[in-house]
């Protein structure tokens, strides 16, 4: 009889899930199997040849890199990998299977590999057993090359499962079928990772940073996930399940109570008008965002459009999606961010980097790929003919980048006009302030843009040098750190001087305590995970601008994150009462 076991992690998305686990082990390679039409077997074999050629080139590149780094001996390890992609006897058997059984190349390759491994595993010779590992490695490379380096979308995902993985990159999370997933649990990760943000956006209970649990769990075994306290319970006892039924009811009841705020006016306690907008990753989130009372989209993360299409989305594809979004928002403003690829969101074919968050990311990618950037700008501006649309540039770090990007926007606008294409005549252009460098240059940026938006997730990461996805240092990711607050204050002041709006679309906007501070620093437009809107609206409706301002100036002058946070706690503890559970808010 299995015994209940509690695994502790970090809560990142509120809710309770009970169901079978679906384990994604780091090495698991999900190989699709399907039949090929007899007329297509030749092209299927060609697909195999192309994947083999790519794999060979990849391995040779790895070898070259090792040789250049003075690691000749290590480079020779890959000779045996090359032998496999050159082993004609073996490859003929794969080709034969594609032709004879009319099976897809991934499956044919995989099943022949399995056969070879079975033979090697039975061998007494340790050298031959070791070769099985090389074959596995080559198999992963070839199958990934066949799949365009993308994992298939977990077609075998069982209904209502709790997905447990070592890590679940945002790219994969975005592909999971939301309707089938009850919860997400990962061994690594932190509250501000894109995966955590996605889970909150999709309202999937989630716990990250559980440590090495995969080895202890049974695929398909029963588990209970508590995204409020941050625990995964395997083989829960009957009493535990009953207890959590009650917790689930309480959460649902509190959510329902809070929903009454969705339609309430957006005002501070002294009647200052505020705006609450939604951060969206997928256009399909719109209806639920509207139900939570969103008054526009403050951040549309367009990179998921690219990630889901597996490549650079065309102007027409993008236009169709943006247009639909604009139509569905019915006259509310929509802020579309140009692609923030790179970092932890890599397109197939993008080379992994040693320091991805300091690398070829966001506006750097856009400016280096002007054809991609301009196609996106065209799509956005065309959608802007049908409703109020703004363009937002991710991670602008220098004035030079800002100037080049602005020139692109102006050129695209001009060429659309010359072509007589219907497009927005007024389209606000904003920059995300996500680096300390940009915050320090806010005066100069404020004179160039129509609005600035604080991307606090990255601003915290870069200000405090804390990888936002790293569980081990998650306690150092401190949105209340006075260094962060001072930068935010400076950006707000720069906005005021230049008479442009400063908004916030990082997770701080959806954290009730942080939102109070932001209001005190002058922010009146907040964009967040839609489900957080009623709660933030409720808290800010209980606090006057003057109260928030006084608290913010006291907090900014503090020396530590804890003392800055304590200022808010001490002044407003009663205003935070009687609302939903706050665990999983992000800080
Ligand atoms: C941010 O960094 O705060 C932000 C809004 O962008 P993202 O979370 O997509 O990096
Ligand atoms: Mg960011």
């Amino acid at each position: 009889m299995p015994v209940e076991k509690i695994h502790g992690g970090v809560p990142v998305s509120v809710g309770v899930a009970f169901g079978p686990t679906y384990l994604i082990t780091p090495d698991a390679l999900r190989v699709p199997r399907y039949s090929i039409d007899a007329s297509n077997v030749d092209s299927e074999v060609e697909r195999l040849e192309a994947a083999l050629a790519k794999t060979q080139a990849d391995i040779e590149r790895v070898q070259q890199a090792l040789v250049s780094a003075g690691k000749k001996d290590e480079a020779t390890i890959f000779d045996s990998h090359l032998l496999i992609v050159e082993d004609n006897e073996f490859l003929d058997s794969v080709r034969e299977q594609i032709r004879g059984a009319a099976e897809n190349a991934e499956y044919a390759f995989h099943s022949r590999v399995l056969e070879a491994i079975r033979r090697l595993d039975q061998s007494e010779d340790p050298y031959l057993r070791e070769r099985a590992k090389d074959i596995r490695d080559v198999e992963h490379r070839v199958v990934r090359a066949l799949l365009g380096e993308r994992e298939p979308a977990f077609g075998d995902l069982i209904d209502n499962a709790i997905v447990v993985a070592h890590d679940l990159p945002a790219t994969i999370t975005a592909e999971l079928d939301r309707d089938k997933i009850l919860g997400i649990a990962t061994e690594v990760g932190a509250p501000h990772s894109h995966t955590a943000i996605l889970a909150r956006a999709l309202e999937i209970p989630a716990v990250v940073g559980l440590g090495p649990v995969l080895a202890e769990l049974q695929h398909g075994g029963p588990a209970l996930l508590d995204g409020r306290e941050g625990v995964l319970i395997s083989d829960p006892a009957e009493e535990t399940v009953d207890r959590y039924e009650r917790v689930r009811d309480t959460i649902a009841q509190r959510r329902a109570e809070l929903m009454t705020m969705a339609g309430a006016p957006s005002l501070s306690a002294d009647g200052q008008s505020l705006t609450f907008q939604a951060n969206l990753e997928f256009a399909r989130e719109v209806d639920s965002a509207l139900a939570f009372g969103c008054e526009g989209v403050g951040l549309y993360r367009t990179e998921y459009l690219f990630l889901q299409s597996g490549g650079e989305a065309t102007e027409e594809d993008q236009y169709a999606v943006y247009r639909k979004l604009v139509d569905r928002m019915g006259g509310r403003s929509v802020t579309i961010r140009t692609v923030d690829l790179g970092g932890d969101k890599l397109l197939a074919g993008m080379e992994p980097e040693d320091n991805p968050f300091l690398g070829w990311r966001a506006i750097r990618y856009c400016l280096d790929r002007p054809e991609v950037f301009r196609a996106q700008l065209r799509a956005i501006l065309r959608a802007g003919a049908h409703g109020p649309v703004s363009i937002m540039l991710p991670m602008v770090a220098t004035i030079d980048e800002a100037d080049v990007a602005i020139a692109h926007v102006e050129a695209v606008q001009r060429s659309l006009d010359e072509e007589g294409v219907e497009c927005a005549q007024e389209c606000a252009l904003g920059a995300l302030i996500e680096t300390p460098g940009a915050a320090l240059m806010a005066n100069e940026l404020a004179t160039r843009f129509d609005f600035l938006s604080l991307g606090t997730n990255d601003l915290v990461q870069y200000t405090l040098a804390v990888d936002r996805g790293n569980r081990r240092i998650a306690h150092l990711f401190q949105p209340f750190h006075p260094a962060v607050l001072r930068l935010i204050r400076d950006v707000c002041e720069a906005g005021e001087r230049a008479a442009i709006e400063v908004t916030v679309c990082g997770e701080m906007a959806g954290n009730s305590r942080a939102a109070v501070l932001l209001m005190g620093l002058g922010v009146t437009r907040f964009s967040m995970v839609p489900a957080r809107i009623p709660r933030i609206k409720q808290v800010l409706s209980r606090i006057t601008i003057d109260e928030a301002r006084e608290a913010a100036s006291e907090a900014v002058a503090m020396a530590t994150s804890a003392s800055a946070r304590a200022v808010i706690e001490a002044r407003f503890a009663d205003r935070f009462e009687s609302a939903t559970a706050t665990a999983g808010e992000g800080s």
Side-chain angles (χ1 to χ4, degrees), residues 194 299 301 337 340 345 361 394-395 432 434 455-459 461-462 468:
H194 284 107
L299 165 64
R301 291 182 164 103
R337 176 171 79 180
D340 183 4
K345 290 180 274 193
R361 191 192 157 184
M395 213 182 89
L432 264 166
E434 307 193 88
T456 54
N457 309 332
D458 279 313
L459 187 61
Q461 156 166 270
Y462 294 126
R468 60 194 270 188

Side-chain angles (χ1 to χ4, degrees), residues 464 478-486 517 554-568:
L464 303 176
Q478 297 171 346
F480 293 87
H481 194 291
V484 175
L485 301 182
R486 289 174 202 184
L517 267 176
E554 192 186 337
V556 163
M558 289 293 157
T560 65
S561 171
S563 48
R565 204 186 147 107
V567 170
I568 303 297

Side-chain angles (χ1 to χ4, degrees), residues 154 167-178 181 184 186 194-196 198-199 202 204 282 284 304 308:
F154 305 102
D167 191 10
L168 209 50
T171 335
I172 293 181
T173 313
E175 283 194 36
L176 292 171
D177 184 346
R178 195 263 166 268
I181 300 176
I184 290 175
T186 59
H194 284 107
T195 303
L198 260 182
L202 299 174
I204 302 174
F282 309 101
R284 63 171 189 266
Y304 289 102
Q308 285 194 309

Side-chain angles (χ1 to χ4, degrees), residues 261-526:
M261 285 305 295
S266 304
L267 298 170
S268 64
D270 55 334
Q272 160 80 52
S273 163
L274 304 170
T275 307
F276 298 102
Q277 297 183 308
N279 290 352
L280 300 186
E281 286 72 27
F282 309 101
R284 63 171 189 266
E285 293 172 77
V286 171
D287 290 340
S288 128
L290 287 170
F292 283 117
C294 87
E295 299 165 273
V297 175
L299 165 64
Y300 177 41
R301 291 182 164 103
T302 58
E303 49 278 5
Y304 289 102
L305 201 68
F306 284 56
L307 292 168
Q308 285 194 309
S309 69
E312 283 150 358
T314 66
E315 176 185 332
E316 286 314 314
D317 289 347
Q318 293 182 64
Y319 170 69
V321 175
Y322 304 155
R323 171 75 201 272
K324 208 157 146 192
L325 180 59
V326 168
D327 288 347
R328 302 263 288 279
M329 289 308 288
R332 298 171 185 86
S333 75
V334 175
T335 305
I336 301 179
R337 176 171 79 180
T338 61
V339 282
D340 183 4
L341 288 167
D344 57 351
K345 290 180 274 193
L346 298 188
L347 270 190
M350 276 172 89
E351 235 168 79
E353 297 178 307
D354 287 342
N355 279 309
F357 276 120
L358 300 182
W360 198 47
R361 191 192 157 184
I363 191 73
R364 299 169 184 175
Y365 173 88
C366 295
L367 295 184
D368 277 358
R369 303 295 310 271
E371 69 292 354
V372 177
F373 188 39
R374 286 192 177 212
Q376 179 161 38
L377 293 173
R378 282 177 67 94
I380 300 174
L381 286 165
R382 284 173 58 199
H386 306 277
V389 165
S390 307
I391 298 172
M392 187 155 72
L393 307 174
M395 213 182 89
V396 173
T398 69
I399 301 300
D400 297 325
E401 280 170 349
D403 288 340
V404 178
I406 291 168
H408 277 294
V409 176
E410 288 170 352
V412 169
Q413 180 89 59
R414 263 196 315 276
S415 71
L416 284 170
D417 287 343
E418 278 160 21
E419 289 166 40
V421 176
E422 196 186 14
C423 66
Q425 286 312 308
E426 299 232 335
C427 183
L429 178 64
L432 264 166
I433 305 296
E434 307 193 88
T435 64
L440 290 167
M441 298 302 286
N443 281 326
E444 286 75 4
L445 289 168
T447 59
R448 287 166 164 81
F449 288 99
D450 302 311
F451 67 96
L452 300 178
S453 187
L454 285 151
T456 54
N457 309 332
D458 279 313
L459 187 61
V460 174
Q461 156 166 270
Y462 294 126
T463 303
L464 303 176
V466 178
D467 178 344
R468 60 194 270 188
N470 187 335
R471 157 82 171 111
R472 181 176 271 183
I473 50 170
H475 61 289
L476 299 175
F477 189 98
Q478 297 171 346
F480 293 87
H481 194 291
V484 175
L485 301 182
R486 289 174 202 184
L487 288 174
I488 294 175
R489 175 199 59 194
D490 293 352
V491 175
C492 291
E493 287 176 0
E496 210 172 307
R497 270 192 292 277
I500 63 161
E501 192 168 27
V502 174
T503 69
V504 179
C505 63
E507 294 291 286
M508 275 179 89
N511 175 299
S512 42
R513 276 121 183 117
V516 175
L517 267 176
L518 294 169
M519 185 166 83
L521 292 171
V523 175
T524 57
R525 190 182 292 260
F526 302 79

Side-chain angles (χ1 to χ4, degrees), residues 205-283:
V207 177
V208 300
L210 284 157
V213 286
L214 278 167
E216 295 185 43
L217 300 174
Q218 186 76 35
H219 186 71
L224 212 153
L225 185 79
D226 176 0
R228 201 184 43 146
E229 296 296 332
V231 291
L232 175 72
I233 306 173
S234 50
D235 301 302
E238 224 175 289
E239 314 83 78
T240 311
V241 176
D242 289 348
R243 181 157 49 84
Y244 271 99
E245 281 296 333
R246 292 193 292 276
V247 173
R248 200 184 345 220
D249 289 348
T250 313
I251 293 176
Q253 194 187 334
R254 287 180 175 173
R255 275 198 175 144
E257 279 164 25
L258 209 47
M259 280 307 275
T260 58
M261 285 305 295
S266 304
L267 298 170
S268 64
D270 55 334
Q272 160 80 52
S273 163
L274 304 170
T275 307
F276 298 102
Q277 297 183 308
N279 290 352
L280 300 186
E281 286 72 27
F282 309 101

